[in-house]
Amino acid sequence: MTPVQVIIAYYFLAVTISTIVLSLPFTLQKGVKVSFIDTLFTAASSVSVTGLATVDVSQTYSTAGIWVLMAIFQIGGLGVMMISTFFYLILKRRIGLKQRQLIMTDTNQFTMSGMVRMLREILVLIFGIELVGALILGIYFIPLYPNFWDAMFQGLYNSVSLVTNAGVDITGKSLIPFANDYFVQFISILLIIAGAIGFPVLLETRRFLFEKNTLIPFRFSLFVKVTTLTYFVLLILGGLLIWLFEYNHFFSGKSWDFGFFNSMFLSATSRSAGLQTMDSGALSVSTLLLVSFLMFIGASPSSVGGGIRTTTFAITILFIYSVIRGRKHVYIFGRELHQEDVRKSLAVTFVAGFISISAIVIMMQTETASLISVIFEVFSAFGTSGLSVGLTPDLSTPGKLIIIILMFIGRVGIMYSMLSLRNKNQPKNAIRLPKEKIITG
C-alpha cells in the first residue's frame, strides 16, 4: 500500500472503531436506541469533524458519550497520525522511518526533516489554544449555568469543538442563544480561525513573534502568504456579502452591529466550523448559495477543515487570470508556481465539482426536499462544515450514505482520494507522444 492508501485506511479504521464505541450502552442515555446507519453517520461526522447529525446529540448521548465524541473529533481534527504520534511521544517510543513518512503524508509536508519536532510544536500549540479558549469561555459561562463545573465543561467542549471545527452541538440550540453576545462570537471566530487557517501558518506566526533572529531577517513562506491572504479575503468579503444580502431580509429592523457580527460569524463558521448564531433555514436563497460556495472552498491545507482548500481556490483563480492576461505561467508574490501544483489544483476543483453535482442530482431523486436544501447539505458535507437548513434528520438511508461519503472525502481530501487509486508500482509514462492542436472554447 502507498502512504496515501495507508492514511485513508486509518481513517476508515477510525470511523469503524468510533461506530462500535458509540453503539455501546454507556455512551447512550437510558432508554435511547440509535439505528446502525445513524450511529455510522454520527461517527463519520465526528471523525470528519463535520457536525451534521441525524439525531439530537444532547438527547441521545450520555455524559460519557459526549466525552467520547469530544475525543473522536479531536482525533479527526488533528489527524490520526498526529494523535498516534502524540501517544508515541508520551510513551517515549521511537518513531520509525515508516511512521515519519505517514506523518509527512497526513500533514501534507514535503520533507521528513524535523517532522517529529514540528508535530510536537503543533500539538502543544493546538492544545494550548484549546485550553485558553476553554478557560475564557468557561469563566464567561459561569453566570449562565447552575454550577461552576457545568460552565467549565461547556467552555471546554465549545473550545475543542471550535478549534477542531467539529461543529457538534450538545445543547440543541448551537450558538443561537448568543446571537446578541458579541464577546462569545468574537472568541469563537478566533478559535475557528486557529483551527482552519492551517498549522504551518500558526507555526510560522509563532516563530515570527517569539523566535526572531536579528542576523537573518524572518520571511514567511509562500504557502503561508497565499493561505493567509486567501483565507482573510474570503472571510471578510463573505461576511460583507452576507450582511448585504440579508440587510433587508434577516437583518431587517435589527441594529448594524447585530448584522455585522452575525454575518462575520456565519462567514467564519461556513468555512468548516458548523456552529451557528442564526437559523440557516431563515436565510435568503442568495445567502445560502454564497455560504454553499464558501463551504465548497473550505479551510486551508494542513488544517482541521475540509473542502477543496483555500490554496486550491487561489491557484485556480490565478490560473484563470494568467490565461486572460495571455501568460504561460502563474505568478504570485514575486514567485512562479510549479506547473504540477497548478495541474493538481485544477484537477481537485474539477473533480470536487463533479462529485458534488453528482451527489446533488442523485439526492434530488432520493430526498423530498427543495433544490437549495440539497445543495446546501451537499456542500456542507463536502466542506465538513456541518451547517444545515434542517434536512439532515429527514434524510433517507441512501441520502445518509451519500452524505457520509462526502464527509469522508471532504476530510481526507480530493487529491488523496484520487491518489489512493494509484498503484504503488505503477510505472511512470516516460514516452512523449506527438503533439497536435485541438480546437477549444
Side-chain angles (χ1 to χ4, degrees):
M1 295 176 67
T2 64
V4 172
Q5 291 170 338
V6 173
I7 294 296
I8 291 179
Y10 278 152
Y11 276 102
F12 267 119
L13 182 62
V15 173
T16 303
I17 294 175
S18 300
T19 303
I20 294 172
V21 174
L22 291 175
S23 300
L24 299 177
F26 80 93
T27 64
L28 301 170
Q29 294 189 16
K30 289 184 178 180
V32 174
K33 293 184 178 180
V34 183
S35 65
F36 170 77
I37 187 65
D38 287 330
T39 304
L40 175 62
F41 192 99
T42 304
S45 181
S46 298
V47 171
S48 64
V49 287
T50 302
L52 291 173
T54 54
V55 297
D56 188 338
V57 174
S58 61
Q59 300 297 320
T60 303
Y61 294 100
S62 63
T63 302
I66 299 300
W67 281 100
V68 169
L69 284 174
M70 199 171 356
I72 292 173
F73 56 68
Q74 187 75 273
I75 294 171
L78 293 177
V80 289
M81 291 311 305
M82 194 179 296
I83 294 297
S84 65
T85 305
F86 170 69
F87 287 108
Y88 266 73
L89 294 173
I90 290 178
L91 297 173
K92 296 182 179 180
R93 293 183 60 182
R94 181 178 176 276
I95 299 174
L97 184 64
K98 181 66 175 178
Q99 187 168 1
R100 290 172 187 265
Q101 187 179 20
L102 292 175
I103 295 169
M104 181 184 72
T105 303
D106 195 29
T107 54
N108 286 318
Q109 298 301 307
F110 302 111
T111 176
M112 286 189 286
S113 176
M115 186 62 59
V116 176
R117 183 177 64 86
M118 180 202 71
L119 217 59
R120 189 185 293 114
E121 290 180 0
I122 292 174
L123 289 168
V124 170
L125 200 56
I126 292 298
F127 289 152
I129 292 171
E130 289 178 349
L131 180 60
V132 171
L135 291 173
I136 294 174
L137 292 176
I139 293 171
Y140 188 80
F141 288 159
I142 289 176
L144 307 177
Y145 288 90
N147 58 64
F148 174 81
W149 295 112
D150 282 348
M152 295 308 294
F153 175 76
Q154 289 292 332
L156 174 64
Y157 183 88
N158 279 281
S159 179
V160 174
S161 181
L162 287 163
V163 173
T164 59
N165 283 203
V168 180
D169 172 43
I170 57 171
T171 64
K173 300 176 182 177
S174 194
L175 292 181
I176 291 177
F178 298 98
N180 292 291
D181 194 324
Y182 306 143
F183 177 78
V184 172
Q185 291 187 35
F186 178 70
I187 297 299
S188 298
I189 290 174
L190 292 181
L191 294 175
I192 290 170
I193 292 174
I197 200 169
F199 303 137
V201 177
L202 297 179
L203 292 179
E204 289 196 26
T205 301
R206 186 185 68 81
R207 289 166 188 161
F208 173 75
L209 295 174
F210 304 109
E211 297 181 8
K212 287 185 178 180
N213 189 329
T214 54
L215 298 177
I216 304 174
F218 184 88
R219 289 185 178 180
F220 285 103
S221 65
L222 181 62
F223 170 81
V224 169
K225 291 178 182 178
V226 174
T227 298
T228 306
L229 176 63
T230 308
Y231 189 94
F232 282 105
V233 165
L234 289 171
L235 173 67
I236 296 170
L237 185 59
L240 293 176
L241 287 175
I242 291 169
W243 192 12
L244 176 64
F245 292 165
E246 296 298 323
Y247 187 79
N248 291 318
H249 189 253
F250 190 90
F251 299 140
S252 179
K254 296 181 175 63
S255 61
W256 72 268
D257 51 333
F258 179 90
F260 175 78
F261 275 96
N262 281 273
S263 296
M264 286 300 170
F265 186 88
L266 180 56
S267 180
T269 194
S270 65
R271 307 303 297 284
S272 188
L275 293 173
Q276 55 188 349
T277 59
M278 301 183 291
D279 181 8
S280 299
L283 301 176
S284 65
V285 174
S286 299
T287 300
L288 293 178
L289 288 173
L290 172 62
V291 173
S292 297
F293 176 68
L294 293 175
M295 293 190 294
F296 177 73
I297 296 172
S300 301
S302 299
S303 73
V304 300
I308 64 171
R309 311 302 201 270
T310 51
T311 49
T312 301
F313 173 73
I315 292 174
T316 302
I317 296 299
L318 288 171
F319 171 77
I320 295 172
Y321 176 77
S322 297
V323 171
I324 294 173
R325 293 295 301 272
R327 295 174 178 172
K328 291 185 178 181
H329 303 285
V330 179
Y331 305 98
I332 186 171
F333 291 118
R335 294 289 187 273
E336 178 186 326
L337 300 182
H338 284 282
Q339 289 299 311
E340 182 184 2
D341 294 332
V342 176
R343 289 197 301 269
K344 285 181 178 179
S345 297
L346 294 175
V348 166
T349 303
F350 174 80
V351 174
F354 177 78
I355 291 174
S356 299
I357 293 172
S358 299
I360 292 170
V361 172
I362 295 172
M363 288 184 65
M364 285 303 297
Q365 301 299 316
T366 62
E367 313 303 314
T368 55
S370 64
L371 176 60
I372 186 60
S373 298
V374 172
I375 291 174
F376 198 80
E377 195 81 9
V378 165
F379 285 122
S380 177
F382 176 74
T384 67
S385 174
L387 295 175
S388 177
V389 293
L391 175 60
T392 314
D394 300 324
L395 288 171
S396 64
T397 299
K400 291 175 183 177
L401 291 173
I402 292 171
I403 295 299
I404 289 172
I405 294 171
L406 288 171
M407 290 190 295
F408 189 86
I409 292 175
R411 178 62 187 96
V412 173
I414 286 291
M415 182 54 65
Y416 278 7
S417 300
M418 291 190 296
L419 291 178
S420 66
L421 303 176
R422 181 184 295 177
N423 191 325
K424 184 176 182 179
N425 299 317
Q426 182 176 339
K428 294 183 179 180
N429 185 11
I431 301 175
R432 299 293 298 271
L433 300 177
K435 294 181 180 180
E436 185 173 346
K437 286 279 189 179
I438 189 171
I439 299 173
T440 59

